[in-house]
């Protein structure tokens, strides 16, 4: 079971997707790569030291082509963000050794033109070149890079994929909405609160929103139903636009909620009604941003946000407060700033609509998702 909106075409493919590829080789690696100043970069955890030694001294086996602790990488290119994670296996999970995140707005203007703009492509290629250098510098053994809604919808998506490969060495797989949903679940399901009833996991992206109903009775959740709606923070914002006065902003917010509810209607009609304690887990920039506002953080701190449980009433209050603010007011708030001020309201509208159809009292927050799901597959730890 599961569906997607007919207004959101995508390339069909199996849920497991094509095989991963070895890391790209592109250009010379600079001695000291410049830090990304567009956004604060993710802070990777300290890497685990590789205990093996080179040279074969004292009877030790010489190091092979790949170190004992191999590095794996996952790259997620969405409508709004380009995000990379490099990790090595550790115990029953993995340790992050490097990460990168930049807002590229690849899907900017896509709703009106049906194409990726030249400016958006150039921004994205710049970010991908940084990712390629990181992959080479970290001697990544195996990697997978995926592209989602913007490339699924754009008529020039395949041309962009070809250019990205030629200029960066990174081969982007345009994955289906279903695989996107499954990877997100695989990457964050460990944060679902304990319980016996089905749980709802959602991912609010830039160009689409994925909803997945899962059974959590086993070690790995079983997908019961899923839905992909063609509305994300970028597509919904561009569709509605910005109002100048408070009354207009509130009216625009109400319209956003109506549009999203309409796109969720088919899925909502299939949801079970006899749930004693609905469990809800969100993975997206929207929920992590609103969780930061809830905590009144002065700057984003993943260690405080990832795994947080927030009262749904608090998320609704913050959403409604933000919906009435002018963009300049939202831009002054910590963890929102100028880069998220124009898109956060659309995310709030989508979030509130999700909480309407699955009325949980608490909302789990995950700063993990597609990349972590890819890494788990690459390391053969879990499949979904």
């Amino acid at each position: 079971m599961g569906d997607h909106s007919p207004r959101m075409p995508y390339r069909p493919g199996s849920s497991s997707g094509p095989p991963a590829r070895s890391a790209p080789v592109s250009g010379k690696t600079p001695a000291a790569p410049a830090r990304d100043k567009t956004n604060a970069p993710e802070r990777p955890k300290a890497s685990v030291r590789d205990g093996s030694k080179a040279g074969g001294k004292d009877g030790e086996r010489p190091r092979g082509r790949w170190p004992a602790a191999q590095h794996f990488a996952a790259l997620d290119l969405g409508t709004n963000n380009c995000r990379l994670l490099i990790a090595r296996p550790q115990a029953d999970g993995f340790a992050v050794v490097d990460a990168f995140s930049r807002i590229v707005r690849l899907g900017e203007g896509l709703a009106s033109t049906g194409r990726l703009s030249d400016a958006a492509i150039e921004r994205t290629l710049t970010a991908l070149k940084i990712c390629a250098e990181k992959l080479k510098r970290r001697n990544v053994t195996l990697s997978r890079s995926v592209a989602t809604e913007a490339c699924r919808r754009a008529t020039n998506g395949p041309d962009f994929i070809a250019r990205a490969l030629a200029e960066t060495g990174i081969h982007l797989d345009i994955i289906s909405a279903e695989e996107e949903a499954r990877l997100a679940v695989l990457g964050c399901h460990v944060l679902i609160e304990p319980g016996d009833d089905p749980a709802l996991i959602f991912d609010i992206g830039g160009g689409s929103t994925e909803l997945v109903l899962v059974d959590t009775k086993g070690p790995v959740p079983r997908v019961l139903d899923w839905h992909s709606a063609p509305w994300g923070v970028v597509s919904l914002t561009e569709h509605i636009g910005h109002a100048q006065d408070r009354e207009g902003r509130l009216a625009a917010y109400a319209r956003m909620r109506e549009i999203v509810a309409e796109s969720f209607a088919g899925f909502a009609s299939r949801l079970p009604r006899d749930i004693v304690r609905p469990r809800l887990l969100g993975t997206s920039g929207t929920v992590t941003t609103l969780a930061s506002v809830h905590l009144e953080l002065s700057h984003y701190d993943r260690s405080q946000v990832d795994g947080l449980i927030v009262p749904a009433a608090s998320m609704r209050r913050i959403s409604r407060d933000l919906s009435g603010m002018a963009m300049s007011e939202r831009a002054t708030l910590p963890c929102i700033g100028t880069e998220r001020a124009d898109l956060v309201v659309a995310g709030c509208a989508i979030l509130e609509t999700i909480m309407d159809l699955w009325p949980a009292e608490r909302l789990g927050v995950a700063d993990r998702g597609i990349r972590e799901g890819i890494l788990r597959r690459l390391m053969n730890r879990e499949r979904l």
Side-chain angles (χ1 to χ4, degrees), residues 245-281:
D245 59 275
R246 179 177 174 80
E247 183 178 349
R249 290 191 290 269
L250 294 177
Y253 186 70
R255 180 58 184 147
M256 285 181 178
R257 300 258 276 123
E258 290 173 0
I259 290 172
V260 175
E262 192 177 302
S263 71
F264 287 169
F267 179 71
S269 68
R270 301 195 302 266
L271 289 174
R273 304 298 174 191
D274 54 348
I275 304 300
V276 176
R277 187 174 68 87
R279 292 173 294 155
L280 190 59
L281 176 65

Side-chain angles (χ1 to χ4, degrees), residues 340-352:
R340 293 177 175 82
D342 60 335
L343 302 179
V344 69
V345 170
C348 291
I350 297 169
L351 175 60
E352 276 215 84

Side-chain angles (χ1 to χ4, degrees), residues 8 76-83 103-111 147-153 180 202-210 228-239 256 260 283-286 342-344 346-347 350 370:
M8 187 195 65
D76 171 22
L77 177 60
T79 302
N80 199 43
N81 290 281
C82 175
R83 306 181 75 191
I103 293 176
V104 294
R105 302 205 177 195
L106 179 60
E108 188 174 61
L110 175 62
T148 57
E149 179 66 4
C151 290
R152 283 197 294 262
R153 297 185 67 182
E180 181 180 355
F202 66 89
D203 182 2
I204 302 172
S208 66
T209 294
E210 278 63 52
S228 182
W231 301 112
V233 296
V234 175
S235 55
L236 188 57
T237 299
E238 292 187 351
H239 182 72
M256 285 181 178
V260 175
T283 167
S284 69
T286 293
D342 60 335
L343 302 179
V344 69
I350 297 169
I370 292 175

Side-chain angles (χ1 to χ4, degrees), residues 172-217:
L172 291 157
D173 294 321
I174 303 178
I175 59 174
S176 70
E178 180 179 4
E179 184 175 3
E180 181 180 355
R182 288 179 180 273
L183 285 172
V185 171
L186 190 57
C188 71
H189 72 84
V190 294
L191 298 180
I192 300 174
E193 289 190 89
D196 296 323
D197 288 325
L200 185 66
I201 298 176
F202 66 89
D203 182 2
I204 302 172
S208 66
T209 294
E210 278 63 52
L211 305 168
V212 189
L213 186 69
V214 297
D215 179 346
T216 61
K217 293 176 183 176

Side-chain angles (χ1 to χ4, degrees), residues 262-328:
E262 192 177 302
S263 71
F264 287 169
F267 179 71
S269 68
R270 301 195 302 266
L271 289 174
R273 304 298 174 191
D274 54 348
I275 304 300
V276 176
R277 187 174 68 87
R279 292 173 294 155
L280 190 59
L281 176 65
T283 167
S284 69
T286 293
V287 293
T288 56
T289 296
L290 298 191
S292 301
V293 174
H294 167 76
L295 293 175
E296 299 182 348
L297 299 181
S298 60
H299 62 279
Y300 185 74
D301 184 349
R302 183 182 188 274
S303 66
Q304 294 194 55
V305 172
D306 186 48
L308 182 69
I309 305 295
V310 183
S314 176
M315 297 296 259
R316 285 189 183 275
R317 176 186 55 78
I318 293 169
S319 294
R320 290 169 183 172
D321 287 348
L322 292 173
S323 69
M325 291 182 185
M327 195 183 308
S328 58

Side-chain angles (χ1 to χ4, degrees), residues 356-367:
D356 286 346
L357 65 88
W358 197 253
E361 293 184 0
R362 293 141 56 93
L363 170 65
V365 178
D367 185 355

